[in-house]
Amino acid sequence: EKIARVSSREWARFAMMLLVGVFTLIQAAGSVESAPRSTSTADWKPVWQNKGSYDAVLCEGTPFWWPKDGRMYLMECICRGPLDRPGWGTIYGSYWGHAELWQPLYKNHSYIRIRDLTTGDVVSNISTSIGFGFGAAFVDYDHGQLWISATANDRVSSAPRPFGPPTDHCAQEKHWECNGVWVFNSTDLKTWTRRQTDVAWNGPNTDIARVYPSPSHPTPSNLPPHRYVMATENGVWALNNNEGGDLSHGWVTLPSTAAHGGSLACPSVRYLPSDGYYYTVSGGHTVALMRSRDLLSWETASGEATPFIQPSAGDIQVASGVMRSATANLARGHANLSFPHRAIWDQDANDADLCCESWGGASPDNGGPTVSYVLWGADGQGASGFKAGPEGFAAMGVANMTLERLLQAYF
């Protein structure tokens, strides 16, 4: 499947004029900015730099570095499209680039895709992910695979999925609780295999990370040996020790006496072999950074750099330095209707994820990036009451240091 590209000079001139108008309106509307929410820090000074938004009305995303061509990519979850029932109770609650516009199989369904971070071009729409949601990507550099963990939760409707699984036994309001955790994997970002895992858990968001125990930081006594860890939305943890790297089976779902906590809404997890800590970022209003050596006792980052992410004026910058098509994406997503009113809709920072594994396969020594990336949703999650434009944008931050240094800088 292909996505329409914005490349004509006429469109470029229009988009530039539109953005100039947006920034003029933003300056005029500066007096309506409200004070930060109580969960935010007024003199917030994050360690990374907010580059702004690169697209509108997306769901979860993960930035990742792919060693086979040395490029940065995004895994993106696409929710509603222009042909679906409007989200957030407004015509602006849909994504302008939904694949349903040229492929009927995608209509009335959410799905997952891969996108080039630099250009914004879509590499693949994963057809077997039609009717899935809450995806998170993990690159297993040891085995040359990209894995996506997701749930069989159609974010748009309960219409039958063209490639299953069936939804007839799942109530619409509870349909992520029916079919557990699934994984999609690929060695080329274009050909995909989909399987249901044996993780004994049902819910929305999950994330996977590689674990590298060492003599300096052996496996904690409360945990079984493991090479991979999975975080879930409500603090349930699962471990996998499959030497061959097959993440579709072999999961041990831990009781709360062995592991619990450290994971709020929309979690992402990383393990640093240099200090033996499991790090998580999670949260739906602001994003907290926590760490633990045993998945039981958790330390939360504190100080003027926290929370790790919160709503800020930087969210309505245009991240064209990260994605070249950001200006055009935002124009097509009607950002001009929302950016002047940030104080109304920009209430939440959520669905955060990080890149890249600078201590392993994505290290600078292996050709990986020398900077780190922070991705999140800047929005009101449908609760802000703003109806005059979209209330959700995909935002990106960059730190001029490796991800290992970034995470450790908060403690």
Side-chain angles (χ1 to χ4, degrees):
E1 298 104 348
K2 296 182 179 179
I3 190 166
R5 308 195 194 286
V6 180
S7 58
S8 71
R9 294 181 180 178
E10 290 80 5
W11 175 252
R13 284 198 298 269
F14 168 76
M16 186 58 67
M17 291 172 62
L18 184 61
L19 264 296
V20 169
V22 168
F23 296 139
T24 301
L25 285 169
I26 290 169
Q27 290 178 338
S31 61
V32 303
E33 290 290 348
S34 62
R37 293 168 64 106
S38 60
T39 53
S40 301
T41 302
D43 56 350
W44 183 53
K45 297 178 181 178
V47 178
W48 48 271
Q49 297 81 45
N50 189 341
K51 298 298 183 180
S53 295
Y54 61 87
D55 211 338
V57 199
L58 293 172
C59 288
E60 295 80 10
T62 303
F64 64 92
W65 181 77
W66 189 238
K68 298 185 180 183
D69 59 11
R71 296 186 64 82
M72 287 293 303
Y73 291 93
L74 292 169
M75 180 232 69
E76 293 179 323
C77 294
I78 309 300
C79 289
R80 299 182 187 278
L83 305 181
D84 304 329
R85 179 173 57 85
W88 304 333
T90 169
I91 60 172
Y92 302 107
S94 61
Y95 180 57
W96 62 268
H98 197 290
E100 68 182 8
L101 294 173
W102 59 90
Q103 175 50 263
L105 277 178
Y106 289 81
K107 186 178 179 181
N108 289 323
H109 295 292
S110 55
Y111 66 97
I112 300 170
R113 74 182 187 185
I114 304 298
R115 191 181 197 182
D116 188 295
L117 175 59
T118 302
T119 66
D121 294 341
V122 173
V123 174
S124 64
N125 293 310
I126 306 173
S127 59
T128 54
S129 74
I130 295 174
F132 282 72
F134 296 116
F138 156 67
V139 182
D140 188 346
Y141 294 102
D142 294 329
H143 298 95
Q145 300 246 20
L146 179 71
W147 291 87
I148 299 172
S149 59
T151 53
N153 171 14
D154 198 324
R155 308 293 297 277
V156 181
S157 75
S158 57
R161 303 178 180 91
F163 304 105
T167 59
D168 54 359
H169 65 293
C170 300
Q172 170 66 14
E173 68 274 12
K174 297 288 186 181
H175 54 166
W176 60 73
E177 299 179 1
C178 295
N179 293 297
V181 181
W182 295 65
V183 287
F184 302 78
N185 66 295
S186 175
T187 59
D188 61 6
L189 308 184
K190 296 180 181 180
T191 306
W192 297 88
T193 299
R194 185 190 79 182
R195 286 166 288 177
Q196 187 174 11
T197 73
D198 53 1
V199 176
W201 178 84
N202 289 289
N205 291 281
T206 62
D207 193 37
I208 298 172
R210 184 73 163 90
V211 178
Y212 303 92
S214 67
S216 300
H217 302 290
T219 301
S221 59
N222 61 304
L223 301 176
H226 57 284
R227 292 175 170 86
Y228 305 91
V229 59
M230 178 184 290
T232 72
E233 176 116 345
N234 59 0
V236 173
W237 292 86
L239 304 177
N240 192 307
N241 200 36
N242 194 325
E243 185 176 3
D246 187 346
L247 300 182
S248 67
H249 66 92
W251 289 99
V252 177
T253 307
L254 301 174
S256 59
T257 53
H260 191 74
S263 172
L264 307 173
C266 323
S268 294
V269 61
R270 301 293 184 274
Y271 177 85
L272 295 190
S274 63
D275 60 22
Y277 278 101
Y278 304 83
Y279 289 77
T280 64
V281 290
S282 61
H285 297 300
T286 61
V287 175
L289 172 62
M290 293 179 273
R291 70 177 184 177
S292 171
R293 281 205 171 110
D294 59 8
L295 300 182
L296 273 175
S297 301
W298 292 91
E299 176 186 6
T300 302
S302 60
E304 64 181 8
T306 62
F308 189 67
I309 310 173
Q310 70 176 34
S312 72
D315 297 344
I316 55 173
Q317 298 178 116
V318 179
S320 54
V322 175
M323 181 180 289
R324 290 201 295 263
S325 63
T327 298
N329 299 338
L330 293 169
R332 298 187 74 174
H334 305 289
N336 62 305
L337 301 177
S338 301
F339 276 15
H341 308 290
R342 188 189 75 83
I344 302 176
W345 57 263
D346 192 13
Q347 299 181 1
D348 299 312
N350 49 70
D351 294 309
D353 216 330
L354 308 165
C355 186
C356 303
E357 193 183 291
S358 58
W359 51 91
S363 70
D365 290 343
N366 289 331
T370 57
V371 301
S372 48
Y373 297 85
V374 179
L375 179 149
W376 73 100
D379 54 48
Q381 299 198 79
S384 73
F386 183 70
K387 305 294 185 183
E391 68 160 7
F393 297 88
M396 184 76 74
V398 176
N400 293 319
M401 62 185 75
T402 63
L403 182 58
E404 179 177 24
R405 287 184 55 206
L406 175 64
L407 294 174
Q408 292 175 335
Y410 280 81
F411 296 93

